[in-house]
Amino acid sequence: MSTLTSKAFGPNFHWGVSIAAAQNEGAYLEDGKSLSTWDAFARRKGKIKSGHTPHIATDFYHRYKDDLLLTKALGFTAFRFSISWARLLPDGTGRVNKQGVEFYHNLIDECLKLGLVPFVTIYHWDLPYVLEKQGGWTSTMMPKWFNRYVKACAENFGDKVKNWIIINEPLSFTALGYMLGKHAPGKKGLDNFLPAIHHAAMAQAEGGRIIRELVKGAYIGTSFSCSQIVPHSQKEEDMQAANRMDILMNRLFLEPTLGMGYPKEESFPFLRKLEIYNKAWRYTDALQFKFDFIGLQNYFPLTIKYNRLIPIINASEVKATTRQVPHTDLGWEMNAEAFYTIVKKIGLYGGIKDLIITENGACFKDKVENGMVHDERRIDYFQNHLKAMLKAKKEGINIKGYFAWTLTDNFEWNEGYNARFGLIHVDFKTQLRTIKNSGHWWREFLT
Ligand code: BGC
């Protein structure tokens, strides 16, 4: 066992797990909830592996008490979950669903009772389908709809919840859902991507302002996926390709939030299109909000080479599997040094107050054998990443917490239930939970 201890990170450090409504709750049409884009997307053939749906997921809606007890038993002191917009406001805007409010109150109360500090994500990718039918994130109405939803969250839960994350990874859901068609709602092309980016960036900043106004003593953040981008070679074309990817992955949403407007780079025409399409120069102030913390989420670094066949970015990934470097069972490179590098890079941006690692974790094909799950590779992953984080922290990066992704195996978006990230194994036929060795490792690390 490693000599690394949680004490090394100092007192008042938030140690938590993160989950998300669409990946865990299930109960997809229970107690007044309406369809989300993911419920609807799952009905389309071939969109989600093995024809899986999020309809039951980990049944967290009914099992949250047990899952919170498990979180506590593993030694965590914070719990990050998201609110399902379609459960709180089944019509997207307008009337509040009382049963939805009651569920989240029960969940929050249970967290507080167990001494788990709730961190609430307002939007983790599950838009009410009724709003998607009216254009979803491509609609100019979207910021208005989002404001209504944020207000409903603040008014109903602001007395008990102080830690808020406005949006989870805006790049992921806009790129995968509105450009590449791989995630819900399955839209493609620049005409969808450009407005979706802008509306998400606007909603994020305005969401921050609404929580600031309505929730006394709120600690407000928003979460970005960030990855170190490594050029495949020192050739100019590969270096340029890596730079374009870095802009998309690491700067596109962060810089407007910090008041810098969208990144500007003559050699990347996409950025000009983004400006023109959205008349974005008018909005620099509206896109800005002084977040108390930035949530940094990291899973892997990317090695990038020039590829003229890929539209817009003219770049593609050289996969970890081809380069034969250590990788998870999803083919994602495992490289803690790269985590250190990106934490330092983001942490050193001017204007960021605190940094919290709001997601980090690894996917393996875990199996239960004689009541145990031997996921030693996941333990290594966490140990190495925690050491890297400690190094960055000791060098002055203001890191206030770390949330492992994720508590239990769950609905992994278009991978369905095939990709297991949990510290706790779930048998999706019986919903039986088995703590993996990584879960036991966390308990020893934290207690
Ligand atoms: C998302 C999670 C997801 C995880 C692993 C993150 O980008 O926020 O919802 O399950 O990555 O893919």
Side-chain angles (χ1 to χ4, degrees):
M1 207 45 67
S2 152
T3 50
L4 183 71
T5 67
S6 57
K7 302 217 174 23
F9 293 81
N12 307 321
F13 193 82
H14 292 293
W15 289 106
V17 284
S18 292
I19 71 159
Q23 296 181 273
N24 291 77
E25 282 182 10
Y28 83 117
L29 283 179
E30 238 171 273
D31 294 341
K33 178 181 168 293
S34 66
L35 289 180
S36 79
T37 39
W38 276 93
D39 297 319
F41 191 59
R43 291 178 172 167
R44 290 167 57 185
K45 241 189 159 185
K47 290 295 179 192
I48 295 176
K49 276 196 191 154
S50 318
H52 289 164
T53 74
H55 297 172
I56 299 174
T58 64
D59 196 28
F60 181 77
Y61 189 75
H62 299 111
R63 293 168 196 262
Y64 68 93
K65 285 192 181 171
D66 292 346
D67 283 350
L68 291 178
L69 277 174
L70 284 166
T71 307
K72 177 81 182 166
L74 296 190
F76 291 100
T77 50
F79 188 73
R80 174 183 170 217
F81 63 92
S82 74
I83 291 178
S84 153
W85 187 338
R87 194 178 294 291
L88 190 65
L89 305 178
D91 304 325
T93 58
R95 97 193 142 89
V96 175
N97 174 23
K98 282 204 182 99
Q99 287 158 296
V101 173
E102 194 184 319
F103 169 68
Y104 291 113
H105 267 292
N106 291 341
L107 172 56
I108 294 162
D109 288 346
E110 200 66 18
C111 284
L112 297 173
K113 193 171 99 189
L114 292 172
L116 295 167
V117 178
F119 276 71
V120 172
T121 310
I122 293 180
Y123 185 74
H124 199 131
W125 307 356
D126 47 348
L127 190 69
Y129 185 51
V130 56
L131 295 181
E132 184 52 47
K133 283 194 281 190
Q134 299 168 61
W137 285 97
T138 68
S139 167
T140 50
M141 289 298 289
M142 192 61 214
K144 255 203 179 141
W145 297 332
F146 191 75
N147 291 353
R148 163 72 187 119
Y149 169 51
V150 177
K151 270 189 194 142
C153 291
E155 284 164 2
N156 284 287
F157 312 116
D159 55 339
K160 294 180 185 170
V161 173
K162 297 300 163 196
N163 307 296
W164 293 88
I165 292 168
I166 307 295
I167 290 187
N168 181 74
E169 298 190 359
L171 178 72
S172 307
F173 78 84
T174 54
L176 295 167
Y178 289 87
M179 178 69 213
L180 301 172
K182 289 190 175 172
H183 275 197
K187 287 183 174 163
K188 290 184 184 168
L190 269 188
D191 284 348
N192 291 311
F193 191 33
L194 294 174
I197 292 172
H198 188 57
H199 298 144
M202 297 278 284
Q204 183 167 256
E206 190 60 20
R209 280 186 278 279
I210 293 171
I211 297 289
R212 181 73 80 226
E213 190 192 321
L214 298 182
V215 181
K216 263 202 205 107
Y219 182 54
I220 310 171
T222 201
S223 286
F224 299 117
S225 50
C226 303
S227 284
Q228 187 198 4
I229 306 295
V230 183
H232 182 52
S233 80
Q234 296 305 304
K235 276 195 243 155
E236 185 57 25
E237 58 180 22
D238 284 346
M239 307 272 282
Q240 293 272 349
N243 184 41
R244 288 191 293 277
M245 187 60 92
D246 182 54
I247 291 173
L248 268 192
M249 298 268 311
N250 298 319
R251 298 173 49 195
L252 186 67
F253 285 94
L254 176 63
E255 292 188 3
T257 297
L258 297 175
M260 301 157 74
Y262 292 113
K264 285 166 197 55
E265 189 110 4
E266 296 267 317
S267 60
F268 192 7
F270 164 78
L271 295 171
R272 186 91 192 105
K273 285 191 184 134
L274 177 68
E275 288 271 346
I276 294 174
Y277 192 101
N278 296 300
K279 300 188 177 57
W281 52 86
R282 293 186 191 164
Y283 296 99
T284 309
D285 286 344
L287 290 167
Q288 177 180 17
F289 178 71
K290 289 200 182 348
F291 283 101
D292 300 314
F293 70 93
I294 291 296
L296 188 158
Q297 320 206 138
N298 172 265
Y299 289 88
F300 47 73
L302 288 175
T303 294
I304 296 297
K305 68 170 182 192
Y306 173 70
N307 183 344
R308 71 180 167 80
L309 300 176
I310 304 295
I312 302 168
I313 184 152
N314 293 146
S316 58
E317 184 194 353
V318 187
K319 294 206 174 352
T321 42
T322 353
R323 286 179 292 120
Q324 298 187 329
V325 292
H327 54 81
T328 70
D329 289 347
L330 272 183
W332 296 0
E333 181 173 345
M334 294 192 285
N335 182 339
E337 189 61 27
F339 176 56
Y340 163 80
T341 307
I342 193 68
V343 167
K344 289 276 302 223
K345 175 177 159 134
I346 303 296
L348 291 173
Y349 254 91
I352 294 182
K353 292 182 198 157
D354 297 349
L355 212 59
I356 297 186
I357 309 306
T358 40
E359 283 183 29
N360 177 235
C363 164
F364 296 107
K365 292 189 180 106
D366 304 307
K367 283 198 182 71
V368 182
E369 288 159 330
N370 299 324
M372 289 175 77
V373 180
H374 296 280
D375 61 337
E376 273 64 32
R377 287 192 295 163
R378 186 175 284 106
I379 298 177
D380 275 358
Y381 181 95
F382 280 126
Q383 278 187 332
N384 293 336
H385 282 69
L386 291 174
K387 280 182 197 154
M389 177 171 77
L390 185 58
K391 188 169 150 205
K393 192 170 183 326
K394 282 190 172 154
E395 288 170 9
I397 304 298
N398 201 14
I399 309 172
K400 299 287 192 185
Y402 176 97
F403 288 70
W405 185 266
T406 178
L407 179 65
T408 55
D409 296 334
N410 62 18
F411 175 74
E412 175 54 30
W413 310 114
N414 59 333
E415 296 286 333
Y417 298 99
N418 302 301
R420 296 179 178 273
F421 276 88
L423 306 180
I424 297 173
H425 181 277
V426 176
D427 176 333
F428 288 102
K429 289 199 187 90
T430 59
Q431 291 293 344
L432 184 74
R433 270 82 163 138
T434 307
I435 300 179
K436 299 180 191 178
N437 284 358
S438 60
H440 293 300
W441 179 84
W442 270 102
R443 182 175 36 76
E444 280 180 31
F445 173 73
L446 291 172
T447 54

